[in-house]
Amino acid sequence: MKMIRRSLIVGAVGIGLLTSGLAQAQDIKPRLIRFGYGLNEQSNQGRAAKVLADEVEKLSGGKMKLRTVGAAALGSDVQMQQALIGGAQEMMVGSTATLVGITKEMALWDTPFLFNNTQEADAILDGPIGDKVRAKLEEKGLVGLVYWENGFRNLTNSKKTVAKLEDLNGIKLRVMQNPVFLDTFKSLGANAVPLPFSELFSALETRAVDGQENPFNTILSSRFYETQKYLTVSNHVYSPWIVLVSKKFWDGLSKDEKDVLIKAGKTSRDFERKDTRAEAAKALEDLKSKGMEVTVLRATEAGRMREKLTTINAAIAVNVGMDLWSETQAELARMRK
Ligand code: KDG
C-alpha cells in the first residue's frame, strides 16, 4: 500500500513540475502577429515592415513577434482587410484607397492634387484631420495605427507619350479598386480598369492593360519598367498607406502591448517616410537608366486636369462629409499663406 501511495505522490509531483515547466514555457512563448503587405520584400513597404517587426520585438522584450508576409501572399489589400475584420489575421499595411468601401471618409486622401508636397501631407495625416479619419475605422472592426507613405503617383504606359490631357484617350489604364480613381481617369479620357495590385504586373505584361499609375518607388521595385516604355511625371495624387490592426485582436491586448504597437508604429512611420523619400529622389534616374522615356507634365496641362476634375472633388466632398472637406481645405489654405 505504502509503495502505491509513494508512487502516486512522486507521479503528482512529476506532473506538477511538468505543467509548471510548460506553464513557464508557455509564459515566454511570444504572441505571434501576422503582418501582411502587397509589395515585395525589397520594396520600401517591405523594408519598413522589417523595421516595424524589429521594433515590436525590441520594445516587447521578445514577448510579441511580427511575422511579416509580403507580395500579397496573405491576399490583396481588400482580402486582408476582411481577414483583419474577421480576426483571422492580426495586422497589415495597404492603401487607404482600397478602404473606401469600409470607411467612406478614406476617400478624402484620393482627392486629385490635394497635397502640393509631403510637408502638407504629413501635417494633415498626422494631425487632427488624419486622426479623425483613422478613428472612423474602429466602428468597422479595424484600428488604424499610423500612416506610411506610398507617395505621389505618376502615369506609365506601353503605347505612347502622354504629355497632355488628350493623350490619355484610348489608354487602357489600370486603377486601384476605388470609385474615385475610376471616375477620375474616366473623366480624363482613359479607359480605367480596376484591378488588385497583386494582378497588375501580369496585366501589364500580357497587355491586358496599357498602363497604370503609381509612385516611382513602386514602378521601380515592382519592375513595371520592364513592360512600360513611357513615364509621365504627373504627381496627380498623394497616396498614403495605412498600418491596420484587427480590432478583435487589438481589444484582447493589454495596455502595455498596445503601447508597444503604437510606439513601434510611429518609429516605422518615421523610418518609412525617410526611406521612401530618399529612394524616390533617385528612382527617376534609375527608371531613365532602365530605358523609360520620361515626360514631365507641364503645369498648364496639370491645370487643365484639375479643371476637368472639379466635379470629382465636389463628389468627394459630399461623400466624406462637408465638415471634414471644409476643415481640410481651410487647414491647407492656412498652411499655404
Ligand atoms: O498592397 C499594395 C497596396 O499597398 C497598393 O495600394 C499599392 O498603390 C498601390 C496600388 O496601385 O495598388
Side-chain angles (χ1 to χ4, degrees):
M1 190 58 178
K2 271 188 183 173
M3 279 296 287
I4 293 169
R5 200 145 49 86
R6 188 177 298 127
S7 58
L8 281 175
I9 289 166
V10 168
V13 169
I15 288 167
L17 285 174
L18 182 65
T19 46
S20 67
L22 274 178
Q24 277 165 12
Q26 287 297 333
D27 286 351
I28 61 170
K29 199 172 154 200
R31 183 191 283 277
L32 189 62
I33 299 168
R34 287 157 296 185
F35 180 92
Y37 61 95
L39 276 63
N40 60 45
E41 223 173 287
Q42 294 71 37
S43 69
N44 52 331
Q45 205 177 56
R47 293 192 294 270
K50 186 169 180 335
V51 166
L52 178 63
D54 293 347
E55 201 61 20
V56 165
E57 187 149 15
K58 185 181 80 176
L59 294 176
S60 68
K63 292 191 178 68
M64 299 167 78
K65 191 169 176 48
L66 245 65
R67 186 162 64 82
T68 58
V69 184
L74 294 182
S76 65
D77 282 15
V78 172
Q79 289 165 332
M80 290 196 286
Q81 288 155 11
Q82 292 305 319
L84 264 63
I85 291 167
Q89 181 180 326
E90 293 75 31
M91 291 181 73
M92 69 169 281
V93 63
S95 183
T96 56
T98 51
L99 272 171
V100 296
I102 294 170
T103 300
K104 62 185 173 61
E105 291 80 4
M106 284 287 168
L108 178 63
W109 313 131
D110 303 332
T111 307
F113 303 106
L114 180 67
F115 298 129
N116 291 339
N117 52 54
T118 54
Q119 290 73 23
E120 290 181 0
D122 293 356
I124 297 287
L125 288 166
D126 296 347
I129 295 168
D131 292 351
K132 209 174 281 182
V133 174
R134 269 190 311 120
K136 292 281 184 184
L137 289 165
E138 298 214 8
E139 65 204 47
K140 300 295 175 69
L142 294 169
V143 174
L145 212 54
V146 287
Y147 292 102
W148 285 1
E149 173 164 299
N150 189 354
F152 282 98
R153 303 179 78 92
N154 297 293
L155 289 157
T156 70
N157 81 89
S158 56
K159 283 181 80 171
K160 59 182 176 176
T161 301
V162 172
K164 59 185 185 306
L165 201 49
E166 291 69 16
D167 294 337
L168 278 170
N169 292 339
I171 296 263
K172 274 183 83 172
L173 190 80
R174 176 269 176 178
V175 296
M176 286 191 279
Q177 298 158 290
N178 168 298
V180 171
F181 276 74
L182 197 59
D183 294 346
T184 294
F185 284 99
K186 276 183 179 168
S187 304
L188 294 176
N191 174 0
V193 179
L195 280 176
F197 184 79
S198 45
E199 296 173 19
L200 178 49
F201 188 88
S202 56
L204 294 170
E205 202 173 36
T206 58
R207 297 287 189 273
V209 293
D210 304 314
Q212 63 86 46
E213 41 85 52
N214 249 294
F216 296 144
N217 296 37
T218 301
I219 299 167
L220 192 62
S221 65
S222 299
R223 308 172 72 87
F224 293 158
Y225 54 82
E226 290 179 358
T227 66
Q228 304 285 276
K229 171 77 181 152
Y230 305 98
L231 167 61
T232 300
V233 182
S234 50
N235 292 321
H236 52 272
V237 66
Y238 174 91
S239 246
W241 281 321
I242 187 164
V243 177
L244 296 171
V245 188
S246 160
K247 185 139 185 350
K248 281 184 177 171
F249 171 70
W250 179 261
D251 290 345
L253 297 178
S254 67
K255 184 186 176 313
D256 289 350
E257 289 172 315
K258 289 176 180 174
D259 287 347
V260 164
L261 291 184
I262 291 167
K263 288 193 183 96
K266 286 178 179 168
T267 301
S268 71
R269 173 199 63 195
D270 298 344
F271 166 84
E272 196 273 344
R273 286 172 177 169
K274 196 166 169 218
D275 175 65
T276 294
R277 289 163 194 174
E279 185 184 52
K282 59 185 183 52
L284 189 53
E285 287 317 307
D286 289 354
L287 292 170
K288 281 179 189 167
S289 69
K290 305 270 185 197
M292 292 196 85
E293 179 201 284
V294 178
T295 304
V296 179
L297 195 69
R298 288 199 314 275
T300 48
E301 284 305 314
R304 291 182 66 213
M305 278 188 179
R306 285 173 192 254
E307 193 51 42
K308 197 98 176 149
L309 297 173
T310 45
T311 46
I312 298 283
N313 287 5
I316 294 172
V318 169
N319 187 27
V320 303
M322 284 314 289
D323 291 351
L324 184 63
W325 176 266
S326 308
E327 187 185 352
T328 305
Q329 297 303 327
E331 182 55 20
L332 286 168
R334 188 192 63 77
M335 283 195 272
R336 292 165 183 168
K337 272 186 186 139

